[in-house]
Amino acid sequence: MNIEAKKVCKGFDGKEVLRNIDIKIGESRINCLIGPNGAGKTTLFKILTLLDKASSGKVYFDGSPSSSLSPEEKLKFRRKIGLVMQNPFMFNTSVWENVAYGLKLRGDGDVAEKVAEGLKIVELLRIKDQSALTLSSGEAQRVALARSMVLEPEILFLDEPMANLDPLSAKIIDDLILKMQSKYNVTVVMATHNLLQARRFGERVFVLRQGEIIQKGTAEEVFHYPNSSFAAEFVEVGNLFRGKVIVEQDAQKLDLGKIKIEIVPHPEFEKTGVSVFATLRPEDILLSREPLHSSARNSFLGEIIDMQDKGGIIWVTLEPVPGLPGARTESVSTPFVAVITRRSKEEMGLEVGMRVYFTFKASCVNVFE
Amino acid sequence: MESILSALNKAFVLIISLDKEVFSIVLLSFSVSLTAVFLSSLFSLPLSLLLALKKFRGNKFIVNTINSLMAVPAVAIGLVVYLFISRRGPLGVLELLYTPWAMIIAQAILATPIITSLSHQTLKRVGAMVKETAISLGASGWQMVFTVVKEAKSSLITAFIVGFARVVGETGMTMMVGGNIKGATRVMTTAIALETMKGDFELAVALGIILLIVAFVVNIILQATQGAGR
């Protein structure tokens, strides 16, 4: 089935929560809705799952507007849609009964078999008789996933499935979603403010800000070519700069103040002096102890001012060092962030205060107004 | 002091020997108040469900009204019921005055705002989450309502018990519409009031002890259900 929202708006007590939302679900297997807390993700989910009504605009279920559906038809669609909420509510009964709930409502014949299978996938079969109220938030999230998945929905909405979870539980849920998605072959719509997650999952990504979808596209498009500074900042491209377009030695460059970086010539920025944003992903920066002779157009000497271990991946913050071609002393700091593996760090013997060369291709710099 | 001890002594004899009069008064008290709570819940439960689960114009107004009705003195309810069911009242033909049914009606009216208000608070608290969860798992309207009631079960029982405790201990109103007729409408509270005024303390103390035990048991059940619920 497919769900399509057209010009959907929603307000609560005069406050506009959603504005002109156009979204179509059902084309891709995994869709990610990303945005900060309070962007309207949960409200949009409730409207798309028939839990709430839009203030204006229309939502179509397999082409029929929700306003024209009879209660029976609505129930029929609702039963093809699953929703796992951010803090799933557990019924005051056993884990088993919680998972069996939806199946019993439908008068399903194979309750026992399906519940056992669902609990097995989330690896909680051993606590099937435990009261669901005693579960940790990670376990509750897994039970909630199983509870929805055993109903074999055609579209499953997951609202911030990893929020409020410890890293280990988050990892388990993360793996589970992919496992279940492939097992039950369901279209997943996931709301998240976690970009790594969106990047890992999202075939199609929607960026929501203050109730508006400000960018939609494939994960590639959104993460590599964010179309606004908000999207860029939000997708945590790591390096977001503001600078002026200049032309130097026949090359189009971006003057960031301290250094000038070469970019791929953009016809739209031909007029020099235009102030633009540029993004550069940390994984596109190469670190070396010696100067590199390569095709990459940008290479600078930098001092390591910070290193952070984020689970095996090291985020290295570098400040360009003056005295090298392109570097000037008088300007404000322009730190660059690069990521390397822990092994690289150890092999190169990197430490804070050390100077290394950082190199990146002009084509990795994404420029937008 | 001696009179208290002797009254206590005789009261225990009355209770232990399962005195017929004590027994019938207690039985009537319970059957009247339980029937009243049952009738009240037939109205209170659907109303509190409606108020908690459905948004509609006037919802808040009804909730506020019910909360204010909790403060209405029982004797005022007794007076209104009296006027309605007395021979010259609009319901006079039913000849309900000074029957157990008169007491049941008055007690049911007294219990309704209490039970509705307490149930509504509970249902409002758990209702939204249960409702959304049930619906998102494919419950129809009725299945959702049933699930909400099931989830709020222990708190709803609490509301009924509080309502029961309130009406079983009510004296003035019950006396007004019931008449405290021996063997017909004499319940625990009205009997205690009468016997005390007569200076006949044994029966009064015996009933007082039973009333105390009832209050005690009700409290234990309350604690237990609240401990088991959310």
Side-chain angles (χ1 to χ4, degrees), chain A residues 19-37:
Chain A
R19 231 184 345 249
N20 278 330
I21 299 286
D22 288 322
I23 191 169
K24 191 165 184 184
I25 306 292
E27 294 168 324
S28 311
R29 305 313 299 169
I30 302 189
N31 307 267
C32 274
L33 186 65
I34 60 175
N37 291 328

Side-chain angles (χ1 to χ4, degrees), chain B residues 12-70:
Chain B
F12 275 112
V13 174
L14 281 177
I15 296 172
I16 291 161
S17 66
L18 291 172
D19 178 82
K20 215 174 153 200
E21 191 179 2
V22 173
F23 192 68
S24 70
I25 290 173
V26 172
L27 195 70
L28 183 66
S29 250
F30 271 69
S31 50
V32 164
S33 295
L34 284 174
T35 313
V37 168
F38 174 72
L39 290 180
S40 166
S41 66
L42 290 184
F43 178 75
S44 310
L45 186 59
L47 179 62
S48 53
L49 277 168
L50 184 73
L51 291 171
L53 298 178
K54 199 127 184 113
K55 279 185 201 155
F56 56 89
R57 201 181 282 267
N59 187 316
K60 224 172 193 155
F61 174 76
I62 298 175
V63 172
N64 287 336
T65 309
I66 288 164
N67 287 339
S68 340
L69 284 177
M70 283 210 292

Side-chain angles (χ1 to χ4, degrees), chain A residues 46 78-79 90 92 101 106, chain B residues 132 137-139 147 230:
Chain A
K46 285 189 180 172
R78 279 210 331 257
R79 289 191 168 177
M90 287 289 123
N92 185 6
Y101 179 81
R106 288 161 173 75
Chain B
E132 281 180 358
L137 291 169
T147 307
R230 295 173 193 267

Side-chain angles (χ1 to χ4, degrees), chain A residues 29-210:
Chain A
R29 305 313 299 169
I30 302 189
N31 307 267
C32 274
L33 186 65
I34 60 175
N37 291 328
K41 300 187 295 274
T42 302
T43 308
L44 180 57
F45 269 23
K46 285 189 180 172
I47 291 171
L48 295 177
T49 55
L50 283 164
L51 276 177
D52 205 347
K53 284 190 188 116
S55 305
S56 68
K58 284 198 162 149
V59 185
Y60 297 86
F61 293 84
D62 278 346
S64 332
S66 59
S67 51
S68 75
L69 297 175
S70 68
E72 291 74 30
E73 286 170 314
K74 273 190 185 164
L75 182 64
K76 205 184 85 203
F77 279 117
R78 279 210 331 257
R79 289 191 168 177
K80 290 186 192 171
I81 303 170
L83 168 66
V84 178
M85 284 179 247
Q86 181 169 354
N87 294 306
F89 178 88
M90 287 289 123
F91 295 123
N92 185 6
T93 173
S94 66
V95 166
W96 177 277
E97 286 301 326
N98 263 277
V99 179
Y101 179 81
L103 292 168
K104 286 186 176 172
L105 291 181
R106 288 161 173 75
D108 194 287
D110 314 314
V111 177
E113 197 181 313
K114 287 181 178 172
V115 173
E117 196 180 348
L119 281 173
K120 209 156 131 197
I121 294 177
V122 299
E123 291 167 30
L124 288 177
L125 193 57
R126 70 200 148 76
I127 57 161
K128 66 184 168 62
D129 298 320
Q130 196 176 315
S131 160
L133 299 188
T134 60
L135 299 177
S136 71
S137 48
E139 288 168 335
Q141 193 64 257
R142 280 147 77 186
V143 172
L145 257 181
R147 188 165 69 177
S148 282
M149 279 296 196
V150 294
L151 305 173
E152 294 171 40
E154 289 180 32
I155 301 180
L156 179 66
F157 288 82
L158 302 171
D159 191 0
E160 296 271 5
M162 264 82 113
N164 316 324
L165 291 189
D166 56 281
L168 184 67
S169 302
K171 173 86 178 62
I172 294 174
I173 301 281
D174 195 288
D175 292 341
L176 264 178
I177 292 171
L178 288 178
K179 203 155 98 186
M180 296 191 110
Q181 196 275 330
S182 66
K183 171 166 166 49
Y184 290 105
N185 192 27
V186 56
T187 296
V188 170
V189 188
M190 181 158 58
T192 179
H193 61 260
N194 178 336
L195 265 299
L196 290 175
Q197 202 183 0
R199 209 177 238 182
R200 184 158 136 72
F201 287 113
E203 283 169 26
R204 203 164 168 75
V205 175
F206 303 85
V207 183
L208 194 67
R209 177 178 66 159
Q210 289 173 4

